[in-house]
Amino acid sequence: MDTVTYPDASVSAYIAEYFVPVRAMLNTREDWPLFRKYSVIWTPSFGFFDRNGTMHHSAAGYLPPREFLSLMRIGKARCLMAWTRSREAQAHLEAAGSAGDALSAEALWWLGAARFLERRDSAGMWEAWNRLSEQYPDSPWAMRIYPME
């Protein structure tokens, strides 16, 4: 992450704008309570926390810059959604959903959820979910779409 992903200009700019990064090291005894508290068993791991310290999204494993940027957008959106800021979350999810990377399907699923949560907008939810099922029909996220009745 330190060699390729974090130095990327788009990644570092997004972190600077939206996050307060905290690094905990598995080989540093003083950091072990964080690993236990948040059930981190592998590194690298990423947790996305709100202003009160509640984690709303997490992921483990290395990601290249493009996918890591999408992960951060999803994590940011999940924190916003927890604070009934679904309208703001949609911009982050739309960007991640349009990236065409390995996390786009997940972003489109959450975009549908954010649209519904904003104003109980099932039409907006289905627009995002239809896009997901058309673009990523075999993804685990497409399988999570509610059956249309």
Side-chain angles (χ1 to χ4, degrees):
M1 296 296 294
D2 286 334
T3 306
V4 176
T5 302
Y6 295 146
D8 180 83
S10 59
V11 168
S12 60
Y14 196 86
I15 290 171
E17 184 170 358
Y18 295 109
F19 296 112
V20 176
V22 174
R23 177 176 285 196
M25 302 299 289
L26 192 55
N27 58 352
T28 304
R29 190 174 194 82
E30 295 79 33
D31 292 343
W32 290 358
L34 288 172
F35 285 86
R36 284 199 263 331
K37 181 176 183 179
Y38 296 108
S39 303
V40 175
I41 59 170
W42 193 256
T43 62
S45 285
F46 311 96
F48 298 90
F49 298 80
D50 66 17
R51 62 184 177 235
N52 290 333
T54 301
M55 185 166 47
H56 295 284
H57 192 67
S58 65
Y62 168 80
L63 288 171
R66 191 168 94 165
E67 284 74 11
F68 189 66
L69 185 56
S70 290
L71 174 66
M72 290 191 298
R73 288 175 169 149
I74 294 166
K76 173 67 176 168
R78 295 283 313 277
C79 290
L80 289 167
M81 290 166 67
W83 287 89
T84 63
R85 294 169 61 186
S86 294
R87 178 176 290 273
E88 291 172 69
Q90 290 176 51
H92 298 276
L93 293 166
E94 185 61 54
S98 298
D101 62 28
L103 287 113
S104 292
E106 179 180 0
L108 289 171
W109 193 91
W110 284 111
L111 177 61
R115 286 180 176 172
F116 182 81
L117 291 172
E118 182 187 352
R119 292 200 177 127
R120 302 300 185 245
D121 176 13
S122 60
M125 175 188 75
W126 281 109
E127 185 277 326
W129 285 1
N130 287 334
R131 194 168 133 203
L132 164 58
S133 64
E134 290 166 11
Q135 293 177 1
Y136 306 98
D138 297 325
S139 73
W141 291 96
M143 294 175 199
R144 296 176 188 200
I145 297 172
Y146 303 134
M148 215 174 196
E149 300 193 21

